[in-house]
């Protein structure tokens, strides 16, 4: 359907229509100035246009030539009317740009606040950056919460959801959708802050998986008491990894191979057996993972404690509703496994991969 220019103007907001009309008037006014100087002073088109331009924009260059009295009177009238409209257009454009920025920010904040099953990263230091990169590589939805506004702006400009705020405040955590989040990772440099973030997060979402950073064993104990699901000390993890490299180099090489399996088309995933799934109630032998899905079951998790994780289960191990299977295989085959074996037959879902938080 053809839309006339007049209808296009009518459909715009009043502010945009005002800018459009003012811009059209300024363009026409430039033409009036050009014609006026050409008629009154007898100048050529280029000199007349140039004189009208420097007068209207108040650049302050010298006159093209000596003006007559009539030319000076015309210049006063031309500048008085034209500069007024130019100031109006500039003010309206500034208002429109500021309003547009505010609207975009509000939309972004609304979208982040209403995210679901996402990851919240509190503190974007060196560790936070690496964690964010790994989660993004895994295709996870996340939002970064940090007090550094320049950093937040940089992340937002690079397509990473981020908000500026103090993670120890309820309002900040609510603004990043704490109630609907899948996991929270607090990586603040101060252990006391991580304790407080854990308390606030647990209060707002009792079922949330909380991973916290700690600098020593005492802090680790306090953060666990505050409600953290897991506490990790980067220093301790680094020391243990270095010891493993020296003591068991081949084991470390194998683990590095497994952890970097994504680059080889493989993946280690956790899959949840839902009620009504075809695998529920079957043994590993009956399920025949290698023939049906070309995957290996490394462990079965039957509860939340470490004692409920059974490594390298036997063929008679029973798969029950609510169990979590740790499997290794190609990304495509794991997707097929979840879709055909872990979900109820009547349910179809594109969100079939669930990694451990």
């Amino acid at each position: 359907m053809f839309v006339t220019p007049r209808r296009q103007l009518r459909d715009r907001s009043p502010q945009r229509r005002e800018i459009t009309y003012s811009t059209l008037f300024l363009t026409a006014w430039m033409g009036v100035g050009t014609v006026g100087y050409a008629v009154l002073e007898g100048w050529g088109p280029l000199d007349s246009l140039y004189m009208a331009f420097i007068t209207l924009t108040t650049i302050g260059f010298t006159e093209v030539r000596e003006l007559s009295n009539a030319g000076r009177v015309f210049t006063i009238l031309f500048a008085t009317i034209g500069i007024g409209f130019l100031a109006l257009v500039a003010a309206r454009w500034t208002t429109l740009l500021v309003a547009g920025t505010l609207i975009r920010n509000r939309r972004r904040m609304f979208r982040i606040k209403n995210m679901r099953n996402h990851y919240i990263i509190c503190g974007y230091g060196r560790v936070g950056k690496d964690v964010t990169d790994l989660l993004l590589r895994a295709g996870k939805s996340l939002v970064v919460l940090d007090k550094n506004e320049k950093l937040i702006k940089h992340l937002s400009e690079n397509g990473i959801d981020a908000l500026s705020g103090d993670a120890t405040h309820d309002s900040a955590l609510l603004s990043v959708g704490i109630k609907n989040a899948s996991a929270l990772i607090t990586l603040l440099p101060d252990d006391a802050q991580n304790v407080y973030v854990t308390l606030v997060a647990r209060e707002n979402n009792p079922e949330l998986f909380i991973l916290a950073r700690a600098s020593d064993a005492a802090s680790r104990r306090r953060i666990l008491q505050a409600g953290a699901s897991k506490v990790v000390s980067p220093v301790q993890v680094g020391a243990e990894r270095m010891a493993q490299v020296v003591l068991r180099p081949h084991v470390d090489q194998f683990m590095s191979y497994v952890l970097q399996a994504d680059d080889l088309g493989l993946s280690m995933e956790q899959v949840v057996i839902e009620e009504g799934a075809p695998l529920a109630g079957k043994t590993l032998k009956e399920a025949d993972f290698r023939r049906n899905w070309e995957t290996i079951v490394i462990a079965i998790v039957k509860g939340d404690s470490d004692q409920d994780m059974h490594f390298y289960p036997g063929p008679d191990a029973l798969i029950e509703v609510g169990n979590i299977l740790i499997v290794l295989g190609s990304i495509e085959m794991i997707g097929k496994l979840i879709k055909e074996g872990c979900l109820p037959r009547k349910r179809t879902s594109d969100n079939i991969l669930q990694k451990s938080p």
Side-chain angles (χ1 to χ4, degrees):
M1 178 179 176
F2 177 74
V3 180
T4 63
R6 179 176 295 180
R7 182 174 178 180
Q8 288 179 336
L9 285 174
R10 189 176 63 250
D11 292 341
R12 293 185 180 183
S13 65
Q15 192 175 45
R16 289 180 177 270
R17 287 201 302 269
E18 187 177 350
I19 292 175
T20 301
Y21 288 133
S22 298
T23 302
L24 291 174
F25 175 82
L26 285 175
T27 303
W29 196 241
M30 280 287 295
V32 171
T34 302
V35 173
Y37 285 118
V39 172
L40 294 175
E41 302 298 330
W43 296 346
L46 183 59
D47 286 343
S48 299
L49 176 63
Y50 178 74
M51 185 64 188
F53 177 77
I54 64 174
T55 301
L56 190 60
T57 57
T58 68
I59 291 177
F61 290 159
T62 59
E63 299 169 353
V64 177
R65 300 176 193 171
E66 186 70 22
L67 286 171
S68 64
N69 290 335
R72 290 174 180 174
V73 172
F74 176 78
T75 300
I76 293 172
L77 295 174
F78 177 74
T80 301
I81 299 174
I83 293 174
F85 270 94
L86 184 63
L88 175 64
V89 173
R92 289 296 183 266
W93 270 113
T94 302
T95 303
L96 188 64
L97 291 175
V98 172
T101 301
L102 291 175
I103 291 173
R104 286 194 297 271
N105 287 337
R106 287 179 181 176
R107 286 176 178 173
R108 180 169 61 90
M109 293 176 67
F110 179 80
R111 178 174 54 80
I112 290 175
K113 187 176 181 179
N114 290 276
M115 292 173 67
R116 293 184 176 276
N117 299 322
H118 59 292
Y119 293 73
I120 300 173
I121 300 175
C122 300
Y124 192 81
R126 289 177 296 179
V127 177
K129 181 181 183 303
D130 291 340
V131 171
T132 300
D133 291 342
L134 290 172
L135 289 177
L136 289 175
R137 284 183 56 190
K140 296 300 180 181
S141 175
L142 62 85
V143 56
V144 175
L145 182 62
D146 197 283
K147 291 192 291 186
N148 189 332
E149 293 185 1
K150 291 184 178 179
L151 173 63
I152 295 303
K153 182 180 179 181
H154 173 75
L155 293 175
S156 299
E157 291 174 348
N158 285 274
I160 299 176
D161 289 324
L163 282 181
S164 174
D166 189 343
T168 60
H169 294 167
D170 291 71
S171 58
L173 289 179
L174 289 173
S175 67
V176 293
I178 185 68
K179 293 185 179 295
N180 300 318
S182 173
L184 179 141
I185 305 172
T186 175
L187 301 169
L188 301 177
D190 187 273
D191 288 341
Q193 290 181 321
N194 287 324
V195 170
Y196 199 79
V197 171
T198 301
L199 286 170
V200 175
R202 182 59 69 205
E203 181 181 359
N204 282 280
N205 189 341
E207 304 299 325
L208 183 69
F209 185 95
I210 302 175
L211 174 63
R213 171 183 179 175
S215 59
D216 51 49
S219 297
R220 180 179 184 276
R221 184 174 63 256
R222 295 191 187 96
I223 297 174
L224 285 173
Q225 291 174 347
S229 307
K230 288 284 185 179
V231 180
V232 175
S233 171
V235 176
Q236 182 181 359
V237 171
E240 291 176 353
R241 175 65 188 277
M242 294 176 70
Q244 290 294 331
V245 172
V246 174
L247 297 174
R248 304 175 184 87
H250 295 294
V251 173
D252 178 76
Q253 184 178 5
F254 172 76
M255 291 305 299
S256 297
Y257 173 85
V258 171
L259 293 176
Q260 298 174 5
D262 287 348
D263 297 333
L264 303 174
L266 300 176
S267 181
M268 182 182 291
E269 301 283 353
Q270 70 170 39
V271 299
V272 181
I273 305 299
E274 298 189 9
E275 188 172 356
L279 285 176
K282 292 185 177 181
T283 64
L284 291 181
K285 182 178 180 180
E286 292 171 340
D288 199 356
F289 279 79
R290 291 196 177 185
R291 183 174 65 86
N292 294 326
W293 297 291
E294 299 177 7
T295 58
I296 301 173
V297 179
I298 300 174
I300 300 179
V301 183
K302 295 182 176 291
D304 296 330
S305 66
D306 295 339
Q307 287 74 23
D308 293 326
M309 180 176 290
H310 304 279
F311 289 98
Y312 197 57
D316 296 328
L318 183 64
I319 304 172
E320 300 174 296
V321 173
N323 287 176
I324 298 175
L325 308 183
I326 310 299
V327 297
L328 176 66
S330 69
I331 298 174
E332 293 77 11
M333 293 308 295
I334 291 177
K336 182 181 178 182
L337 162 66
I338 301 175
K339 199 169 185 179
E340 297 181 358
C342 302
L343 298 178
R345 290 188 183 278
K346 62 180 179 180
R347 174 183 167 190
T348 58
S349 173
D350 294 328
N351 185 22
I352 57 177
L353 294 184
Q354 300 183 35
K355 285 196 175 184
S356 177

